[in-house]
Amino acid sequence: MGALYSPSSLAGKWLGFVTAVWVQAISGNNYTFSNYSHALKTLMGLTQLELNSLSVAKDVGKAFGLLAGVASDRLSTPVILFIGSLEGFIGYGVQWLVVSQRIRPLPYWQMCIFLCMGGNSTTWMNTAILVTCMRNFRKNRGPVSGILKGYVGLSTAIFTDICSALFADNPAAFLVMLAVVPAAVCLASMVFLREVDPSAAAAEAGDEKEESKYFSVFNVVAVVVAVYLLVFDVSGKHGPGLSRAFAGGLLLLLASPIGVPVYIAAKSYLDNREKCSDLEEDKIREPLLISDTTQTKPEEPKLEVAKKKPAIGEDHTIFEAIRTVDFWVLFVSFLCGVGTGLAVMNNLGQMGLALGYVDVSIFVSLTSIWGFFGRIASGTISEYFIKKAATPRPLWNAASQILMAVGYVVMALALPGSLYIGSIVVGICYGVRLAVTVPTASELFGLKYYGLIYNILILNLPLGSFLFSGLLAGFLYDAQATRVAGGGNTCVGAHCYRLVFIIMALACVVGCGLDVVLAFRTKVLYGKIQASKRSKRGAVRVLK
């Protein structure tokens, strides 16, 4: 039975995917800065511009994700996970020492380095997970991206709600979780997550419909987790007993996907026993039949070849990819979406305080949870419409950019409840942008150098954070605070971020135009992808 869980087996491959989900569920620590930024600001005596620059430092860590991308073609998945876990443990561990006041606040430049390390740790985790899983499940890149990126989006709410339930919103305790939990989960995942040989994966995986069925189970569990978190967030304050019960239930839900590889292993075990039994009977009753079956086996690999994925984008080297117009259209449109979204996530705490909210953690959780729905839905839906109508994935990005622009306009109006609406809309659209761009890049430029291509695109996170959060939001906020508060660094009122929201809405309109252009440029490509998926299903039916 143990052989059924080897990394090269079907059950082992799905067990690796389960551990990948767990890693993603705790690897969104880079999005949790708002939960402890006020503590850093107070302890270090920072202005808002300095605090925003500190948030940029953590996002600059993603710029060094190019190292993880290069390493993904040379190092094994466990090694990459280990590097990420160690770096995160050090980066967030030092921040905990400062916030808990076990050491005196470090000089500003040193804090920037440790925040950068914490941000960079996620690039190693995400690269190891995404590259390995996209290669292991080549026929379902949309669902893989949606599920994995969805759990990254949920991870902010998971960390925030568990910390609120167990440690009563203690920033120091929160940072302990950010340092220890991802490191522990990555070390566990190193045992099970491996890249499976494509030919072996094709032989084991069965047809695309069977694989999609298992992904549906992961989608259902993920939605249940998201709803569970949402109910806890909107149901008000909870007592210690109920909060601990909530945390226990959440951990059980996160563990439940282990049922998929267990089911596959049990099914494979029973099928093997039945085949062995039938084989014994055939040997007794009809030995010539066994001989005839053996003679036909050499023809099977020819049929399996028809199931392999098409060569779309496989010939692109790194330099060939970055020399194309399509790459840069995708890059700049991605910048408009994730850059503005990051500005909101990094400044949600200050935005809430500016509008008179005392508890701003609800906005962080709302953005996280609805970002999950955007990620998981867009991955599956975009995959469905490729198979159904050859709809280019960039069209979904275009739709998300327009909706995000509307969200920024609503937040700029600062009507009652507008920050709730804006947090939800920005969360959804940011999630769509991430989940759709990941498989789009692999379809345009292939999987051979995908780790590095992915991390080049992710450069938009530090770049967008610097442009929209560090410069735009930080500068305009401090300008308003100086004029209104007589030189202070606190601004209260709708005017604090109104111009920021308007400029970000315009950026999203530009991003939408670029996505529409890319959709037209890739229309033929997605027609070929649709045709290849249909031919694969036909080949599977022939094999059956």
Side-chain angles (χ1 to χ4, degrees):
M1 189 76 174
L4 294 173
Y5 288 103
S6 67
S8 59
S9 69
L10 182 59
K13 187 175 75 166
W14 282 100
L15 180 59
F17 186 73
V18 171
T19 63
V21 165
W22 291 341
V23 171
Q24 295 297 78
I26 50 83
S27 66
N29 41 26
N30 201 46
Y31 298 106
T32 61
F33 184 69
S34 293
N35 286 320
Y36 60 91
S37 61
H38 187 69
L40 283 176
K41 181 179 181 180
T42 302
L43 283 170
M44 299 179 67
L46 304 176
T47 66
Q48 187 61 31
L49 182 59
E50 288 172 331
L51 183 68
N52 282 7
S53 297
L54 211 63
S55 73
V56 171
K58 73 176 177 59
D59 292 324
V60 166
K62 291 185 177 294
F64 297 100
L66 293 176
L67 298 175
V70 173
S72 67
D73 294 327
R74 294 166 173 80
L75 301 177
S76 65
T77 300
V79 173
I80 297 174
L81 285 171
F82 177 75
I83 294 172
S85 64
L86 180 62
E87 196 173 15
F89 181 78
I90 296 172
Y92 289 105
V94 170
Q95 294 177 61
W96 166 72
L97 291 173
V98 172
V99 172
S100 64
Q101 300 185 49
R102 281 170 170 77
I103 63 174
R104 300 183 64 161
L106 299 176
Y108 186 82
W109 68 271
Q110 291 182 16
M111 288 301 296
C112 287
I113 290 175
F114 287 110
L115 264 80
C116 183
M117 288 182 66
N120 184 245
S121 68
T122 62
T123 67
W124 293 88
M125 298 177 195
N126 292 340
T127 299
I129 296 304
L130 281 171
V131 172
T132 303
C133 291
M134 294 283 276
R135 289 174 177 170
N136 284 353
F137 299 95
R138 297 170 182 245
K139 295 184 291 184
N140 280 286
R141 301 183 197 186
V144 166
S145 173
I147 292 169
L148 295 179
K149 285 296 183 183
Y151 273 100
V152 173
L154 281 182
S155 65
T156 304
I158 291 171
F159 272 123
T160 302
D161 289 348
I162 288 181
C163 189
S164 298
L166 300 180
F167 306 113
D169 299 318
N170 184 336
F174 186 80
L175 280 164
V176 168
M177 292 181 63
L178 292 183
V180 174
V181 174
V185 175
C186 283
L187 292 175
S189 181
M190 287 165 56
V191 178
F192 301 105
L193 186 60
R194 298 285 193 281
E195 186 173 327
V196 180
D197 180 73
S199 59
E204 286 277 4
D207 61 37
E208 192 172 346
K209 185 177 180 181
E210 185 76 7
E211 198 171 85
S212 299
K213 180 178 71 175
Y214 297 130
F215 280 119
S216 297
V217 174
F218 281 88
N219 281 333
V220 170
V221 172
V223 170
V224 171
V225 171
V227 172
Y228 185 74
L229 289 166
L230 186 61
V231 169
F232 182 78
D233 284 338
V234 300
S235 56
K237 295 291 184 180
H238 309 87
L242 185 59
S243 296
R244 292 189 182 96
F246 156 79
L250 179 58
L251 293 176
L252 287 175
L253 284 174
L254 292 173
S256 62
I258 196 71
V260 171
V262 170
Y263 168 79
I264 293 172
K267 184 172 179 290
S268 299
Y269 178 72
L270 294 175
D271 288 347
N272 288 338
R273 286 189 61 183
E274 185 178 348
K275 288 178 182 178
C276 290
S277 176
D278 293 341
L279 185 60
E280 289 297 325
E281 291 181 9
D282 289 341
K283 284 180 179 179
I284 296 172
R285 297 176 182 176
E286 195 86 42
L288 292 177
L289 183 61
I290 302 299
S291 176
D292 291 341
T293 303
T294 304
Q295 291 174 1
T296 61
K297 282 188 176 180
E299 296 179 7
E300 293 181 1
K302 295 180 181 179
L303 293 173
E304 291 289 344
V305 171
K307 292 167 59 179
K308 288 184 178 180
K309 74 177 204 63
I312 297 174
E314 288 294 339
D315 292 331
H316 282 82
T317 65
I318 299 299
F319 294 106
E320 288 171 339
I322 64 176
R323 288 172 184 168
T324 63
V325 172
D326 294 329
F327 180 88
W328 292 108
V329 171
L330 182 65
F331 186 91
V332 176
S333 69
F334 192 43
L335 173 65
C336 295
V338 300
T340 59
L342 269 177
V344 172
M345 293 178 187
N346 288 338
N347 291 275
L348 264 178
Q350 297 300 319
M351 290 174 180
L353 292 174
L355 293 177
Y357 293 97
V358 177
D359 182 10
V360 296
S361 63
I362 181 64
F363 301 114
V364 178
S365 292
L366 282 174
T367 303
S368 172
I369 293 169
W370 287 99
F372 156 79
F373 286 117
R375 297 175 199 223
I376 201 165
S378 61
T380 301
I381 292 173
S382 64
E383 192 76 25
Y384 171 80
F385 277 96
I386 288 175
K387 298 173 185 176
K388 188 77 174 177
T391 304
R393 282 197 214 268
L395 277 182
W396 300 101
N397 280 336
S400 73
Q401 297 268 48
I402 283 295
L403 184 58
M404 187 178 271
V406 172
Y408 292 143
V409 171
V410 170
M411 295 170 83
L413 294 174
L415 299 174
S418 62
L419 194 56
Y420 286 95
I421 297 172
S423 298
I424 292 171
V425 170
V426 170
I428 291 173
C429 296
Y430 184 85
V432 170
R433 182 81 244 190
L434 281 175
V436 172
T437 302
V438 168
T440 299
S442 73
E443 287 158 351
L444 266 61
F445 310 112
L447 287 168
K448 187 174 182 180
Y449 299 101
Y450 178 69
L452 187 52
I453 290 173
Y454 166 75
N455 278 286
I456 291 175
L457 286 172
I458 291 301
L459 286 174
N460 277 301
L461 295 181
L463 179 59
S465 180
F466 171 73
L467 292 175
F468 293 102
S469 182
L471 290 183
L472 180 67
F475 178 77
L476 292 180
Y477 177 95
D478 278 345
Q480 293 291 338
T482 300
R483 185 165 59 248
V484 174
N489 61 359
T490 299
C491 180
V492 178
H495 61 284
C496 299
Y497 284 99
R498 180 167 287 134
L499 184 57
V500 175
F501 292 135
I502 293 173
I503 293 174
M504 292 196 301
L506 293 174
C508 286
V509 172
V510 173
C512 173
L514 292 173
D515 287 322
V516 171
V517 170
L518 188 61
F520 277 106
R521 289 178 63 88
T522 57
K523 188 176 180 180
V524 174
L525 169 65
Y526 281 96
K528 293 178 180 178
I529 293 175
Q530 180 200 38
S532 72
K533 288 179 178 292
R534 289 180 174 177
S535 67
K536 284 180 183 178
R537 290 198 293 270
V540 169
R541 284 194 291 269
V542 170
L543 284 171
K544 289 184 175 180

